[in-house]
Amino acid sequence: MNSLHVRFDELNNDAGLRSSWHPKPMDGLWALLLTGGAAVLLLLFSKSFGYWQYLILGCWYVALLISGLYWRPLQIMTYVVLAFSMVAVWLYSIGQTPDNNWLMRYVLQGDAAAMWMSGFLLLATIGYEIYLFTCKSSVAAASTALTWLGVVMGFTALGVRWRETYIGHPSWGHIPVGNLWEVMLLFCASTSLFYLFYESRYKAKALGAFVMPLVGVAALFFLWITFAQHMDKIEPLIPALQSFWMKLHVPMMFIAYANFTIASLVGFAYILDGVSQKRGGGLALILPGKQVMDDIMYSAITFGFLLFTISTILGAAWAAQAWGGFWSWDPKETWSLIVWLNYAGYLHARTVKGWRGTNMAWWSFLSLWVVSFCFLGVNLFLSGLHSYGKL
Amino acid sequence: MQKKMAEFIVILTSMRFAVSLLVLLAIASVIGTVLPQAQPYTDYAHQFGPFWFATFNSLGIYDVYGAPWFLTILGILVLSTAFCLIRNIPTKIMGMINIWRDYVSDGGKHNGYRTSLSLGSATAVLASWMTAAGYAPRVRTTNTSASLVSVRGRFYGAGYILTHAAIVIFCLGAMYNANLPQKWQLWNGSIVPETNFSEPISDVPQVSRLPLNNAAYRGNVTLPAGDSTANAFVPSGNGYLVQPLPFVIHLHKFRISYYSNGMPKDFVSDIYIENHHGEVLKRAFVRVNHPLLYRGVDIFQASFSNGGTLLHLDSHSFSNPGATPKHVEAQIGDTLTVHDKYQVKIKSFSLRNVIPAKAAGVTASHSSPYVDLGPSMTYVVSSPSGQEAEFKTFVSPIARSGQNYFLQGVRTKGSPSYQYLLIPVGPDGGINFFMAYLTQLRNVTANGTKLTMQVATTIFKKQISTSYPSIMSDYRQQAKLFQSVMNAMTQLQAYPVPFVMTVDGYKHKWAAGIEVTKWPGTIFLYIGSVLLVLGIMISFYMPQRRIMVKLSAAGEGTDVAITGHSSRGGSNVPEVIDALYERIKTESEGEHNE
Ligand code: HEM
């Protein structure tokens, strides 16, 4: 009889059924610091704020607050990133520059921090592969730590660069999501961050061996556009991009991309898991199990889909202001519609038809091509109104 | 008949049909991203050859997203969504209102169980176990039966309604904005696009004109500074339609501002909205990202171009440097014959030439590493023998180590960058000093005198005294000037044409490309967007899980039937049902054993 009681309690743990969330002291600090931060921003800038800036600040505040409460490691990361960026901003403000300060030159300036990010993420990728073959939990822990370092340096790079866009020519300043270099940086950092989230939620370290290689490839591409194409040069924004919409539209797009990417590579792991089980290989033993992978895929796709929808709508509203039309069937718009239709199809098949298993994993996996084409292919191969990130 | 209709609707609202349509739409959309849309038809004809050009044209490939078949797919998708919605709304709403309703269970393989517990105690224990599993039930009892129902995410059904209604509302709004009746008139020929782009607007025939109170439109107009318009042009197929506006737009001024590196920072059209009697109703600065909404019409800053800039040009002949320069007035795009049989085509004129100071060979100011070399004109010269070269003339002289120069770039066909000819300028800022010196040299050599260094310097000195007396006593300046003159003469030997054009003055004029739209359907787009996002949030984050237990007294004991349903996979509803059955079985056995 007692054993049955235990079972009921376990059933109760179903994620999303009833939250097992309890406040901790650090949550209070989090809420306090975020509120304080928002207040400081308001004090400093509210003179130049229009009604939209309040809205954007509000969105960021609520989103960060909730995410931090939901997943506490995010709080710590935010503190570290803020501390690093503020040190850099402070150093700039007292006249220190990469030319006269080695800490700035090698670590804290936007470019340098981005290089550190790439390095950490590439090492993490290697670490996860080693883990896959050795199954040593210390290796897994090290890989996770390296990924965290990469994420911290990535977001620090974005934060510092934001400040750097203003230095020397205040009218150039902009949130660093305006060219291919900046969005690749954002992509690497946010995909890794979301990967860490799923890893910790589902205790699924082996998935890093599937997700991180793509981040690694993105990091290599990022290094290439830095050193061969010099795309890290700071340039001002063309008139079409000077809009508050950019602060919402682009970051949201990249959170969506991050989730789609993760879902796709987890789909790949799912497929290999099946193959391995058939052949009696060892892979299935280290992977977290089909049920969990299925769940990660679904969670990532739904979250990505929600943000993708919002961000596309924001893009359309922006287009209505900048180009005089909500929808101009420009290649980027059209491909984002294709991405949207694709995932709409996936979600219908899953929730309405109840499809599960290997077929759906294939669907999720192959969607990566559609998403990548929307993200990069359109910029590289087609031209249109969205050609900001051209090589 | 009615049966056929019903069958049709079943197909139309089937999942398989909807997914096929989505896929079809996605594939069709790809076409337009691969082939550039709405290009001049001659380009397509050139690309595909006559047969395929005609075939593709009849398929509407040059404007896929406006092609009848594409719109038909969209239309069917909307119809399918609408019918699906109509069919499902009642059940969804009933599901939200009445939680006691029966439903199809996906809760497992059980068919019920008869327990020896009494109705009352069975109800009580099941209720407490459900609560322990996170499914606190609502209970309804009669003398002989009881129902326990737990519903989480009761309003899940609203997610479905909102998302699908959003799609329909969206498409209705977009359809309104797309002005379908007008599309129909185009199709049946009662409106015909005008294809002559150089015709004055008053000559455009009535069949190419749209009504003033047109329901929706998106047009554009190129407006030179100082001009007014009461019409916009709506691109249509191979030509355009004329859309009269309910007011007059007058472009007072157009301004571009720049960043220090020369990139444009802002495009501003300073416009007056006037009525037809010239009375100003409103003045506005229309900028990119900041349109003006006036009486239901949106006015956007879309582009800019040359609006009839007037250039005063001088052509100086090197073969006859003593002749007075030939003065001409020209506009951009004009072709002139200024020197014998050389054709000069004025290609463009730009107000600014910002380049890194290093590249210009001048020292940077501390405020910016860039310098603006000022306005320049480019022109293309075709020689009588058919050679072509492109030239770039800077209006104002540039300074380099203490000497001012007139700067003239030359680029022969195929070469990527300009070679610069640097002619030193005299006190008037022009090349007259240099030309006069050339003339003197020529006169002397024409007399048979051999051109030695001494002759050259003597003539130079004479030239200084007549046309540059201010540096008579400044020998360093003179030396510098002399060196520059000699360099220029060397450069001239490789110069491909025997004359140079200078810009004596200019009257610059912009034209603003203005876009005008009337889109009353837009409010539906916003409503649809909000509904869509709300619907998606509900669908994903408020999933429904129901568990229903029905108990009915059966003699001493009780019949128990447990059903369950969840809107989303990965839920534990089946396990909870299993566990509840398991639990009630052990409980009853326990009672027997006591
Ligand atoms: C019509 C609605 C729009 C849709 C569906 C849309 C879609 C997208 C998508 C899918 C991305 C992906 C990110 C990427 O590949 O970079 C993106 C990025 C971006 N969009 Fe939009 N967009 C729309 C309107 C606009 C407008 C009006 C602007 C500004 C004028 C804009 C500016 C940008 C920028 C700056 C990026 C990141 C640029 C980069 O690739 O470097 N978008 N958009």
Side-chain angles (χ1 to χ4, degrees):
Chain A
M1 164 143 190
N2 282 339
S3 70
L4 273 171
H5 264 300
V6 174
R7 268 192 71 189
F8 275 122
D9 288 346
E10 276 172 5
L11 288 172
N12 202 349
N13 276 338
D14 175 39
L17 181 65
R18 171 190 284 183
S19 74
S20 50
W21 189 85
H22 299 288
K24 284 194 180 169
M26 70 186 291
D27 296 336
L29 184 68
W30 176 243
L32 205 70
L33 282 177
L34 276 187
T35 312
V40 168
L41 284 181
L42 282 179
L43 276 179
L44 286 179
F45 298 118
S46 66
K47 270 207 206 82
S48 59
F49 267 23
Y51 132 69
W52 285 103
Q53 270 90 353
Y54 288 109
L55 186 76
I56 292 173
L57 184 66
C59 286
W60 278 101
Y61 175 76
V62 173
L64 263 183
L65 184 68
I66 294 179
S67 327
L69 295 181
Y70 187 61
W71 186 46
R72 295 197 173 87
L74 185 70
Q75 300 180 11
I76 316 244
M77 185 207 86
T78 311
Y79 296 146
V80 180
V81 168
L82 270 182
F84 282 9
S85 319
M86 274 155 70
V87 168
V89 170
W90 172 70
L91 284 173
Y92 272 123
S93 76
I94 59 166
Q96 301 289 304
T97 67
D99 294 328
N100 61 18
N101 181 316
W102 68 266
L103 181 65
M104 300 282 272
R105 183 158 61 236
Y106 295 116
V107 186
L108 283 183
Q109 67 161 314
D111 274 47
M115 295 303 111
W116 281 100
M117 174 202 77
S118 312
F120 284 134
L121 293 181
L122 284 168
L123 285 179
T125 306
I126 298 170
Y128 279 114
E129 297 315 315
I130 296 176
Y131 170 62
L132 194 64
F133 290 103
T134 61
C135 302
K136 280 216 179 82
S137 57
S138 57
V139 177
S143 311
T144 306
L146 282 168
T147 312
W148 270 116
L149 288 173
V151 168
V152 164
M153 290 318 281
F155 282 105
T156 302
L158 283 165
V160 177
R161 188 177 173 88
W162 198 341
R163 176 71 196 127
E164 284 169 348
T165 59
Y166 287 84
I167 291 174
H169 15 65
S171 67
W172 292 21
H174 59 268
I175 182 171
V177 291
N179 73 6
L180 190 62
W181 191 86
E182 293 167 345
V183 298
M184 279 312 292
L185 177 57
L186 178 61
F187 177 77
C188 291
S190 58
T191 307
S192 309
L193 179 65
F194 273 93
Y195 165 69
L196 286 171
F197 167 74
Y198 290 110
E199 182 191 280
S200 79
R201 256 305 122 105
Y202 293 90
K203 314 212 168 17
K205 300 230 177 220
L207 289 179
F210 294 87
V211 176
M212 290 308 285
L214 192 106
V215 176
V217 169
L220 286 176
F221 178 72
F222 177 70
L223 291 177
W224 181 71
I225 61 176
T226 309
F227 290 110
Q229 308 286 326
H230 305 292
M231 289 190 65
D232 55 330
K233 230 174 45 199
I234 291 175
E235 293 208 324
L237 290 181
I238 59 167
L241 294 186
Q242 298 163 15
S243 167
F244 57 83
W245 291 109
M246 192 157 100
K247 294 195 178 76
L248 294 172
H249 172 65
V250 187
M252 269 192 188
M253 262 318 168
F254 279 86
I255 296 179
Y257 282 165
N259 280 276
F260 288 154
T261 305
I262 291 168
S264 153
L265 294 166
V266 172
F268 185 53
Y270 190 105
I271 296 164
L272 289 190
D273 179 279
V275 174
S276 154
Q277 269 178 6
K278 262 194 213 127
R279 301 222 179 128
L283 184 63
L285 298 177
I286 190 170
L287 282 171
K290 288 209 150 89
Q291 178 68 45
V292 168
M293 287 193 279
D294 192 70
D295 223 42
I296 295 180
M297 264 191 289
Y298 179 73
S299 307
I301 287 178
T302 46
F303 188 61
F305 188 74
L306 174 65
L307 288 190
F308 196 81
T309 308
I310 299 177
S311 151
T312 305
I313 289 171
L314 294 179
W318 183 5
Q321 260 194 4
W323 303 332
F326 287 88
W327 199 264
S328 314
W329 294 102
D330 123 280
K332 187 78 132 197
E333 292 174 355
T334 310
W335 274 95
S336 59
L337 177 69
I338 294 169
V339 168
W340 195 82
L341 291 172
N342 173 55
Y343 283 111
Y346 174 95
L347 290 166
H348 276 87
R350 204 189 132 114
T351 51
V352 183
K353 286 282 199 193
W355 289 5
R356 295 283 187 288
T358 312
N359 287 343
M360 293 304 275
W362 272 106
W363 191 337
S364 171
F365 175 50
L366 293 180
S367 300
L368 186 61
W369 294 102
V370 185
V371 173
S372 315
F373 198 83
C374 179
F375 173 18
L376 285 175
V378 172
N379 294 31
L380 302 184
F381 304 123
L382 307 174
S383 68
L385 296 165
H386 258 96
S387 309
Y388 308 121
K390 271 255 145 68
L391 279 181
Chain B
M1 180 65 209
Q2 212 164 15
K3 198 170 145 227
K4 279 229 172 91
M5 191 70 199
E7 271 172 12
F8 173 72
I9 289 188
V10 167
I11 294 176
L12 190 68
T13 56
S14 73
M15 210 44 224
R16 187 184 300 263
F17 186 72
V19 169
S20 315
L21 274 177
L22 288 179
V23 173
L24 193 64
L25 195 61
I27 293 172
S29 304
V30 176
I31 300 174
T33 69
V34 177
L35 183 72
Q37 299 284 291
Q39 303 293 306
Y41 277 25
T42 46
D43 289 9
Y44 293 123
H46 186 74
Q47 190 177 350
F48 298 126
F51 174 73
W52 289 111
F53 169 75
T55 314
F56 288 156
N57 192 20
S58 59
L59 290 175
I61 300 287
Y62 310 135
D63 179 17
V64 172
Y65 310 114
W69 59 268
F70 188 85
L71 296 178
T72 309
I73 301 177
L74 263 181
I76 294 178
L77 184 67
V78 178
L79 265 186
S80 156
T81 314
F83 274 110
C84 206
L85 190 63
I86 294 170
R87 209 175 58 168
N88 285 320
I89 276 185
T91 26
K92 297 281 173 189
I93 289 187
M94 281 315 292
M96 287 189 272
I97 296 175
N98 176 12
I99 63 165
W100 302 97
R101 190 178 52 95
D102 284 318
Y103 49 87
V104 181
S105 170
D106 55 13
K109 48 241 169 259
H110 304 268
N111 292 322
Y113 177 74
R114 174 166 296 179
T115 166
S116 53
L117 297 177
S118 70
L119 180 61
S121 48
T123 309
V125 289
L126 277 165
S128 75
W129 295 329
M130 281 174 76
T131 310
Y135 288 91
R138 294 222 239 154
V139 184
R140 233 187 212 181
T141 48
T142 64
N143 283 341
T144 54
S145 72
S147 304
L148 285 73
V149 170
S150 167
V151 181
R152 319 189 113 258
R154 177 169 175 185
F155 296 104
Y156 172 77
Y160 167 85
I161 296 177
L162 289 178
T163 41
H164 292 74
I167 302 293
V168 177
I169 292 175
F170 232 88
C171 290
L172 289 180
M175 253 152 60
Y176 190 93
N177 283 349
N179 203 340
L180 291 187
Q182 184 182 311
K183 291 238 150 60
W184 170 254
Q185 284 174 303
L186 267 169
W187 192 74
N188 74 14
S190 51
I191 299 179
V192 183
E194 174 62 56
T195 50
N196 180 352
F197 284 86
S198 50
E199 180 175 52
I201 200 165
S202 49
D203 292 355
V204 174
Q206 202 54 41
V207 283
S208 306
R209 290 172 184 270
L210 298 169
L212 178 62
N213 57 3
N214 200 359
Y217 50 82
R218 179 177 184 182
N220 51 57
V221 58
T222 301
L223 203 54
D227 279 15
S228 302
T229 182
N231 297 287
F233 302 93
V234 179
S236 175
N238 198 13
Y240 63 91
L241 301 165
V242 173
Q243 172 65 57
L245 302 175
F247 44 71
V248 174
I249 304 175
H250 172 75
L251 179 65
H252 177 54
K253 258 191 206 139
F254 179 80
R255 195 185 73 229
I256 303 182
S257 56
Y258 297 88
Y259 294 109
S260 55
N261 70 347
M263 273 174 62
K265 181 178 174 187
D266 205 2
F267 305 116
V268 189
S269 284
D270 176 1
I271 61 170
Y272 295 141
I273 303 286
E274 297 169 353
N275 64 16
H276 290 272
H277 315 295
E279 210 179 310
V280 177
L281 305 172
K282 186 172 178 71
R283 177 183 186 182
F285 296 93
V286 177
R287 302 164 50 215
V288 179
N289 273 314
H290 302 274
L292 165 71
L293 177 64
Y294 190 78
R295 288 203 199 144
V297 179
D298 268 308
I299 300 169
F300 299 88
Q301 169 60 45
S303 61
F304 63 94
S305 54
N306 164 52
T309 298
L310 191 65
L311 301 165
H312 300 275
L313 305 175
D314 281 329
S315 124
H316 309 260
S317 163
F318 292 124
S319 46
N320 183 10
T324 41
K326 200 154 137 197
H327 188 85
V328 280
E329 274 182 8
Q331 291 207 349
I332 292 157
D334 287 355
T335 302
L336 326 159
T337 310
V338 288
H339 188 97
D340 296 338
K341 300 199 175 68
Y342 288 90
Q343 296 261 314
V344 173
K345 177 159 191 209
I346 311 298
K347 192 174 161 194
S348 62
F349 181 81
S350 59
L351 279 174
R352 295 160 51 92
N353 286 278
V354 176
I355 57 171
K358 264 195 217 121
V362 298
T363 38
S365 72
H366 23 266
S367 61
S368 164
Y370 299 94
V371 289
D372 181 5
L373 302 184
S376 69
M377 171 184 80
T378 41
Y379 59 99
V380 177
V381 178
S382 346
S383 72
S385 60
Q387 309 281 64
E388 263 193 10
E390 190 174 298
F391 297 80
K392 184 168 183 176
T393 287
F394 286 81
V395 176
S396 23
I398 68 151
R400 190 176 275 185
S401 36
Q403 170 65 49
N404 285 348
Y405 295 93
F406 163 77
L407 196 59
Q408 161 89 0
V410 191
R411 172 161 80 173
T412 45
K413 215 169 189 174
S415 74
S417 59
Y418 287 105
Q419 301 281 314
Y420 283 96
L421 169 65
L422 288 154
I423 302 180
V425 299
D428 62 346
I431 65 172
N432 292 343
F433 174 85
F434 180 74
M435 296 307 269
Y437 179 63
L438 276 192
T439 314
Q440 293 302 325
L441 278 188
R442 193 161 300 218
N443 290 345
V444 171
T445 46
N447 294 343
T449 320
K450 205 156 168 267
L451 184 59
T452 60
M453 202 46 159
Q454 208 197 342
V455 175
T457 31
T458 319
I459 297 177
F460 180 76
K461 290 240 156 90
K462 219 169 89 194
Q463 191 60 41
I464 292 278
S465 66
T466 54
S467 59
Y468 211 163
S470 59
I471 61 165
M472 279 283 278
S473 54
D474 184 346
Y475 294 107
R476 283 190 46 197
Q477 185 71 34
Q478 278 185 35
K480 210 179 270 172
L481 182 58
F482 183 67
Q483 188 57 49
S484 314
V485 167
M486 290 299 128
N487 289 346
M489 284 172 59
T490 319
Q491 287 174 349
L492 260 187
Q493 285 167 1
Y495 191 71
V497 297
F499 65 95
V500 64
M501 310 283 300
T502 59
V503 182
D504 195 32
Y506 60 87
K507 237 183 118 193
H508 188 266
K509 197 173 180 186
W510 286 119
I514 288 183
E515 199 164 292
V516 192
T517 64
K518 180 172 160 192
W519 274 359
T522 297
I523 182 71
F524 293 105
L525 300 186
Y526 287 126
I527 295 175
S529 305
V530 173
L531 297 189
L532 183 62
V533 172
L534 275 181
I536 291 178
M537 281 179 168
I538 294 177
S539 303
F540 293 162
Y541 296 106
M542 297 169 74
Q544 190 170 63
R545 286 113 199 260
R546 297 167 156 263
I547 291 184
M548 180 181 239
V549 182
K550 292 209 158 177
L551 302 132
S552 43
E556 286 289 288
T558 311
D559 276 339
V560 180
I562 310 175
T563 51
H565 174 79
S566 77
S567 65
R568 165 188 163 179
S571 91
N572 64 351
V573 166
E575 287 97 57
V576 171
I577 293 175
D578 284 350
L580 286 173
Y581 270 121
E582 198 69 18
R583 194 61 217 270
I584 193 92
K585 278 181 195 164
T586 12
E587 193 75 5
S588 342
E589 279 159 18
E591 195 151 276
H592 282 300
N593 293 348
E594 262 167 38

